[in-house]
Amino acid sequence: MGLSCWGRETHDATRRLKKVPMKVEEKGTRGEGNQLLARIPADLADLMLAHLEPVDLPQGLVIEQPGELIEYVYFPTGGVISIVAMTPEGDAQIEAGLVGREGMSGSMVALGTDRSPHQTTVQIGGSGHRMAVSRLREMMDNEALHERLLHYCHALSVQTAHTALANAKLKLDARLARWLLMCHDRLGSDEVPLTHDFLSVMLGVRRAGVTVSLHILEGQGLVRATRGLIRINDRAGLERMVGGCYGVPEAEYARLLAE
Amino acid sequence: MGLSCWGRETHDATRRLKKVPMKVEEKGTRGEGNQLLARIPADLADLMLAHLEPVDLPQGLVIEQPGELIEYVYFPTGGVISIVAMTPEGDAQIEAGLVGREGMSGSMVALGTDRSPHQTTVQIGGSGHRMAVSRLREMMDNEALHERLLHYCHALSVQTAHTALANAKLKLDARLARWLLMCHDRLGSDEVPLTHDFLSVMLGVRRAGVTVSLHILEGQGLVRATRGLIRINDRAGLERMVGGCYGVPEAEYARLLAE
DNA sequence: ATTGTTCCGTGCGAACTCGCACAGAAACAA
DNA sequence: TTGTTTCTGTGCGAGTTCGCACGGAACAAT
């Protein structure tokens, strides 16, 4: 399968550009569907919405490049964005964060900088809204909004810490299960449209390893995989398989942002 | 060696309480020595210093417990504090962040919350200053200070992300080398006073694995290990060994906070 | 229908780490 | 000094993942 290891081609943004199954859950033109936007302080809502622009998020789209200034932050309403930590040479990479409708890309803007050493791409196509960084900075004069975003930064960093934990202590099967759970949370669908190749890049392992591990999950009836698609059958079973390495960041998110 | 695996006893705060070799580099009673405190906005400096309390940081001291409200944040001037991500049951843990005189513990206060699911302990004894969380919150009304702390949060989260990268992609030798480098940065000394046991907990591996890996580093003349002490001989050699997996968080820190 | 591409299944030896277990060495306490 | 504890060095079989490599299956386009 050629250059399978890093799957660079499969990440190419130009592929599949108009094939992404658009989520039809857009409720009006509101920011609804994204949980950060859904709770904008009332006095800001109108202004905020005026500067939000609905966008398509095709699979493979590169949202941020390491070290490059970002222009927009994205609030997904569907699909999954992933934050990938990498060496400057790009010879090693690993997923450090997952973003879905519960969050935003470009969260470092809330921390006062407009670039980071990570790469951010759309893992699973979807849609959302974006806002110019300069606008967001103006909005953040509102302390309630700023704090909401900071809470999200905290939850995201807990997620990253537990990814470090999972990478160090879990076997591939369990890491895969954890990844599927996190994805499931964000998609609101039992179908995860990804190839083994993509997963292998996220988990930093061989593609063949993902294949084998998926078979293990299938053997226990937890998922059902077909070409380019993984269907989640038994969420509770997956959670059991991951043990305590799933759930902590999710609980932290709930504690701070569900209010 | 008994209960070596998690080394719980060795973490006990009651042991070695007065044996920590105090750093004598305290320059007056100022916050000097801690790089976050060193650059307090001028208009805040006096007020800030009034609420800082010098403290000893003995090895093993538990600074934060998962889920528990914190009362103080700590600005080390020497020694190393480590942030450990763990499962709720505590059956798996890994170091997710290292804090030295470049930073602070309890950085989540800057993000608007006063607890986290991580455990924070003193890895290498030293000293520093602490401030009540309530005070810090008042101080953060000053936007310049708040932004400085947020920048630090960003750098810390990049560090965590690269720890996830290292855990997934590096061999034990290289992970150990990376850890020693990060420690060296914070200690300002070539001597790292830690046992293999401690290191094995931080890296999430067997104690015996650390012993073997240290021998490899020694074999290349990079370090020299004696009982309870690792002396760093060839920093550049260590960096070479780690490759691109060291340096990115450090560069990010420098970009944002060295000004 | 044919061809080209992407994706998935499988096999095998090598490398790394694990879990367990024990012995020697160094520090410490009495 | 003696006894105890902590720390380090070593060995071995088992389990996991790697790197490589090939064949077959599903899909797309002509």
Side-chain angles (χ1 to χ4, degrees):
Chain A
M1 84 141 295
L3 224 174
S4 83
C5 181
W6 295 116
R8 289 231 168 76
E9 299 89 344
T10 18
H11 273 108
D12 192 317
T14 62
R15 228 171 41 87
R16 283 221 199 172
L17 232 144
K18 286 302 160 195
K19 294 178 200 168
V20 179
M22 275 291 290
K23 304 287 170 188
V24 203
E25 51 163 335
E26 294 268 336
K27 287 154 188 164
T29 69
R30 279 284 320 261
E32 289 291 355
N34 179 283
Q35 294 173 42
L36 277 181
L37 292 179
R39 317 239 181 180
I40 299 169
D43 52 330
L44 247 191
D46 288 341
L47 192 55
M48 192 91 175
L49 293 175
H51 294 298
L52 279 172
E53 171 188 357
V55 284
D56 187 25
L57 294 173
Q59 182 186 47
L61 177 68
V62 176
I63 291 184
E64 299 166 14
Q65 284 288 13
E68 286 184 14
L69 220 133
I70 70 173
E71 291 179 58
Y72 294 94
V73 301
Y74 290 76
F75 301 88
T77 53
V80 173
I81 289 170
S82 93
I83 301 169
V84 175
M86 57 205 318
T87 60
E89 304 76 24
D91 56 343
Q93 50 187 326
I94 202 77
E95 182 176 87
L98 261 189
V99 177
R101 54 187 181 178
E102 89 292 353
M104 67 187 284
S105 77
S107 60
M108 74 293 243
V109 170
L111 301 178
T113 181
D114 47 13
R115 69 192 72 182
S116 92
H118 304 140
Q119 188 184 58
T120 302
T121 64
V122 176
Q123 259 314 307
I124 298 178
S127 55
H129 300 265
R130 74 177 188 184
M131 181 182 286
V133 167
S134 54
R135 289 299 177 193
L136 181 62
R137 269 198 286 253
E138 293 168 17
M139 306 275 161
M140 286 193 312
D141 286 346
N142 179 300
E143 274 307 320
L145 172 64
H146 195 189
E147 175 158 84
R148 183 164 294 281
L149 299 185
L150 291 181
H151 280 175
Y152 174 68
C153 287
H154 173 69
L156 186 61
S157 105
V158 171
Q159 190 200 311
T160 305
H162 276 252
T163 298
L165 176 60
N167 290 352
K169 307 292 287 187
L170 295 186
K171 288 188 298 184
L172 184 44
D173 324 353
R175 285 176 60 201
L176 177 57
R178 174 174 180 267
W179 199 91
L180 290 173
L181 284 170
M182 299 204 305
C183 228
H184 190 236
D185 290 337
R186 279 148 244 263
L187 281 176
S189 152
D190 291 342
E191 309 205 334
V192 182
L194 281 184
T195 67
H196 300 183
D197 226 64
F198 261 70
L199 284 167
S200 74
V201 176
M202 293 304 96
L203 298 171
V205 297
R206 284 177 318 151
R207 192 269 315 160
V210 172
T211 302
V212 172
S213 286
L214 267 175
H215 290 167
I216 295 176
L217 300 189
E218 280 192 283
Q220 301 184 219
L222 307 179
V223 304
R224 173 82 191 126
T226 57
R227 188 189 171 91
L229 184 72
I230 299 167
R231 176 171 287 106
I232 293 174
N233 279 336
D234 180 0
R235 214 194 125 85
L238 287 173
E239 291 184 15
R240 234 175 295 120
M241 160 154 234
V242 183
C245 283
Y246 171 80
V248 171
E250 289 72 16
E252 196 70 356
Y253 187 88
R255 175 170 81 81
L256 287 170
L257 292 143
E259 285 159 28
Chain B
M1 84 145 292
L3 223 174
S4 83
C5 182
W6 295 115
R8 287 232 169 75
E9 298 89 345
T10 19
H11 273 109
D12 192 316
T14 63
R15 231 170 41 86
R16 283 219 198 176
L17 233 145
K18 286 302 160 197
K19 294 179 198 167
V20 179
M22 275 291 291
K23 303 288 170 185
V24 203
E25 52 165 333
E26 294 268 337
K27 287 156 187 164
T29 68
R30 277 285 320 261
E32 288 293 352
N34 180 283
Q35 294 173 43
L36 277 182
L37 292 179
R39 317 237 183 182
I40 298 169
D43 53 331
L44 248 190
D46 288 340
L47 192 55
M48 191 93 175
L49 293 175
H51 294 298
L52 279 172
E53 172 189 357
V55 284
D56 187 24
L57 294 173
Q59 183 187 45
L61 177 67
V62 176
I63 291 184
E64 298 167 15
Q65 283 288 14
E68 286 183 14
L69 222 133
I70 69 173
E71 291 179 59
Y72 295 95
V73 300
Y74 289 77
F75 300 87
T77 54
V80 173
I81 290 171
S82 93
I83 302 169
V84 175
M86 57 205 319
T87 59
E89 302 77 25
D91 56 344
Q93 51 187 326
I94 201 78
E95 182 176 89
L98 261 188
V99 177
R101 55 188 181 177
E102 89 292 353
M104 67 187 285
S105 78
S107 60
M108 76 294 242
V109 171
L111 300 180
T113 182
D114 47 14
R115 68 192 73 183
S116 91
H118 303 140
Q119 186 184 60
T120 302
T121 64
V122 176
Q123 257 318 303
I124 299 177
S127 55
H129 301 265
R130 73 177 188 183
M131 181 182 286
V133 167
S134 55
R135 291 297 178 195
L136 181 61
R137 268 199 286 255
E138 293 168 17
M139 306 276 161
M140 286 194 311
D141 286 346
N142 179 300
E143 274 307 319
L145 172 63
H146 195 188
E147 174 159 83
R148 183 165 294 282
L149 300 185
L150 291 181
H151 280 176
Y152 174 67
C153 287
H154 173 69
L156 186 60
S157 104
V158 171
Q159 189 200 311
T160 305
H162 276 252
T163 298
L165 176 61
N167 291 352
K169 307 292 288 188
L170 295 186
K171 288 187 298 185
L172 184 45
D173 325 349
R175 284 176 61 199
L176 176 56
R178 174 173 179 268
W179 198 92
L180 290 173
L181 284 170
M182 298 204 307
C183 228
H184 189 236
D185 290 336
R186 278 149 246 262
L187 281 175
S189 152
D190 290 344
E191 308 205 335
V192 181
L194 281 184
T195 67
H196 301 183
D197 226 65
F198 261 69
L199 284 168
S200 74
V201 176
M202 292 304 96
L203 298 171
V205 298
R206 284 177 318 150
R207 192 271 314 159
V210 172
T211 303
V212 172
S213 285
L214 266 175
H215 291 166
I216 295 177
L217 299 190
E218 280 191 284
Q220 301 183 217
L222 307 180
V223 304
R224 173 81 191 125
T226 58
R227 188 187 169 91
L229 183 72
I230 299 166
R231 176 171 287 106
I232 293 174
N233 280 336
D234 180 0
R235 215 194 124 84
L238 288 173
E239 292 185 14
R240 232 175 296 118
M241 160 153 235
V242 184
C245 283
Y246 170 80
V248 170
E250 290 73 16
E252 195 70 356
Y253 187 88
R255 175 172 80 80
L256 287 170
L257 292 143
E259 288 158 28

